[in-house]
């Protein structure tokens, strides 16, 4: 199993790359190819759009690569996602793609294009407290489809997204079909009023209303309101599910943390 | 001219209400009816949804009211906008509605429903430095359609929105038709990477791509990036306009500030 790491959003930290390489050497069940693009910096991004796109397309086209692992989130994969899918080489279709957070733009578009994608921990997570377990979980699933890495209550088909990322890809060419999907969402570093607004936007979508249910992962690092919002994140999500006629399926074991589980975007018709 | 003030989002401050009442008494060209709902508080909001909705519908239905002035922004008008438009009383159609920021949800839905709406300063702006001029500008336009209150470069039809609000109403029942519109946007208290992401979302919309042009108002209180984003707000907006084939029309004289100008959502077919 040869796993390539590229950074379609922000720069991967060297310490994270070193930690993940050390873990892989220890395991001995896979090989890691860390693309040098991961360490570039261009303002907010891990290199200019063209450079991030070229690195992504290079590993997509490489028939010796079995899986593409997105280095980290941040912001920026949406800027190259559509171009990554243009004139796709055949070898791109025989790989698995994994990441979360901002990488959700790629997961959405690649899944829509028929490729195998999964929400799951990323190399940069090695720097979190307890992050080794997250990295091991991701590799356990990539290398041997270890079921213990999976979010435990998944119904097929399933998808997982950061709420803000999901809201931002509605109406874009990256928007997948949510019909019958177990749709897991999580959020980080937002005000509760913004989460309420984003849920308004999300649940107004006719496509999202065709989901089987919405489940709520962890909502972390909630930014303070000048006055208390008045309800909590679960009440917000339940309220908008009720208003829009979407089933609310309870909490989900995903989030911007070391406990984040793997959610393969399984396709019903496979 | 009888102007009713209601608060579909957050609570109006008493000092702002008092200041605006004093200005109106001084002018002597209009009468202000400040609905007591403006001073309610329920968590983040100026009273529960049902109470804010009832106050809004009450002034909409009142034939003695000539204009409805939204007290302030914050967040929350989206939660009642659709219900405000249901079974609309005839008297609601013969008024002007004014506000900005979060009130954009109402401006969008009311304009779509055929009513006369305008982006413009709100009573709470009285508390800004120089805010008296903003309040006077709003009243000058509401009472006597003073052209000096208008954003100076408007082409008809025009609309103005906070960028995040506009992005959040795409795909909802509030989304108006942007065909041929001079579309003015502004932003406040967001990271530049979030503004880039929101522009990605906005300019992916086929409806938005039918706008005549996009113009950029002020982008205020930009939140710091941990690394510098690399470009500025105007470069971001120009970039997404270029990518999406929308004409960029330069800067606009609107924003979350005392200089904010009035933008009537004129309809081409009037």
């Amino acid at each position: 199993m040869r796993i390539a790491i590229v950074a379609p959003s922000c720069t991967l930290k060297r310490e994270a790359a070193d930690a993940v390489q050390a873990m892989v050497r220890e395991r001995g069940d896979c090989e890691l190819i860390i693309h040098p693009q991961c360490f570039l910096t261009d303002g907010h991004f891990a290199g200019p759009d063209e450079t991030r796109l070229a690195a992504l397309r290079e590993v997509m086209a490489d028939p010796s690569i079995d899986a593409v692992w997105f280095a980290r989130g941040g912001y920026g994969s949406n800027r190259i996602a559509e171009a990554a899918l243009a004139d796709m080489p055949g070898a791109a279709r025989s790989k698995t793609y994994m990441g979360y957070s901002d990488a959700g733009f790629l997961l959405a578009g690649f899944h829509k294009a028929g490729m195998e994608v999964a929400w799951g921990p990323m190399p940069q997570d090695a720097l979190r407290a307890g992050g080794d377990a997250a990295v091991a979980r991701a590799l356990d699933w990539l290398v041997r489809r270890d079921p213990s890495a999976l979010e435990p209550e998944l119904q097929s088909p399933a998808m997982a997204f950061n709420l803000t990322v999901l809201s931002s890809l509605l109406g874009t060419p990256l928007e997948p079909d949510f019909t019958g999907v177990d749709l897991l969402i999580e959020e980080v570093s937002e005000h509760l009023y913004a989460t309420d607004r984003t849920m308004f936007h999300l649940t107004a979508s006719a496509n999202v209303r065709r989901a089987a249910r919405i489940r709520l992962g962890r909502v972390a690092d909630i930014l303070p309101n000048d006055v208390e919002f008045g309800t909590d994140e679960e009440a917000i999500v339940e309220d908008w599910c009720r208003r829009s006629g979407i089933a609310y399926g309870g909490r989900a074991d995903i989030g911007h943390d070391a406990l984040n589980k793997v959610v393969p975007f399984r396709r019903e018709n496979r």
Side-chain angles (χ1 to χ4, degrees), chain A:
Chain A
M1 159 78 54
R2 300 185 80 236
I3 303 169
I5 302 180
V6 290
S9 313
C10 294
T11 311
L12 178 61
K13 289 212 197 281
R14 287 273 178 197
E15 314 88 272
D18 292 347
V20 175
Q21 272 293 17
M23 291 177 67
V24 163
R25 274 193 300 271
E26 181 79 16
R27 296 171 66 99
D29 62 356
C30 59
E31 185 187 347
L32 217 55
I33 300 94
I34 304 181
H35 197 290
Q37 173 269 323
C38 290
F39 306 109
L40 297 180
T41 295
D42 182 56
H44 183 90
F45 306 104
D49 287 352
E50 314 80 65
T51 310
R52 304 198 314 284
L53 176 62
L56 175 55
R57 288 184 63 95
E58 180 189 327
V59 297
M60 288 169 71
D62 184 342
S64 79
I65 299 293
D66 302 298
V68 176
W69 200 10
F70 303 123
R72 63 168 296 189
Y75 168 71
S77 72
N78 60 318
R79 298 178 56 91
I80 61 170
E82 217 183 328
L85 290 165
D87 311 315
M88 212 170 16
R93 299 199 170 273
S94 56
K95 309 183 200 309
T96 305
Y97 299 83
M98 191 160 78
Y100 73 103
S101 189
D102 186 72
F105 290 112
L106 297 168
L107 300 184
F110 282 36
H111 171 78
K112 186 178 182 181
M115 287 134 91
E116 183 180 38
V117 308
W119 167 284
M122 296 184 287
Q124 179 95 349
D125 285 316
L127 301 183
R128 293 186 190 277
D132 280 8
V135 170
R137 192 178 308 122
L139 289 168
D140 288 348
W141 189 80
L142 279 176
V143 176
R144 49 188 170 85
R145 295 295 187 267
D146 184 343
S148 76
L150 296 175
E151 202 281 339
E153 309 278 342
L154 291 182
Q155 291 178 0
S156 184
M159 297 185 191
F161 287 100
N162 171 266
L163 174 58
T164 296
V165 167
L166 176 56
S167 170
S168 300
L169 64 77
L170 295 183
T172 77
L174 306 175
E175 181 180 344
D177 181 359
F178 298 112
T179 306
V181 164
D182 191 11
L183 184 55
L184 282 58
I185 56 174
E186 57 87 54
E187 191 54 284
V188 65
S189 303
E190 297 288 347
H191 298 277
L192 282 181
Y193 80 81
T195 297
D196 197 80
R197 186 172 57 198
T198 310
M199 284 302 301
F200 157 78
H201 181 237
L202 182 71
T203 58
S205 156
N207 184 9
V208 171
R209 289 183 182 189
R210 288 189 288 268
R213 58 181 186 172
I214 284 178
R215 285 198 294 141
L216 179 61
R218 288 176 285 283
V219 177
D221 181 29
I222 295 171
L223 302 179
N225 254 17
D226 45 353
V227 288
E228 285 294 312
F229 186 71
T231 59
D232 66 14
E233 63 269 30
E234 188 167 24
I236 289 169
V237 171
E238 282 193 276
D239 179 38
W240 285 106
C241 283
R242 183 185 51 69
R243 284 172 175 239
S244 59
I246 304 171
Y248 175 65
R251 301 306 299 247
D253 191 9
I254 61 166
H256 270 68
D257 53 45
L259 297 175
N260 189 24
K261 300 298 188 296
V262 174
V263 180
F265 287 24
R266 295 195 194 90
R267 299 175 75 83
E268 196 74 273
N269 55 0
R270 273 194 181 175

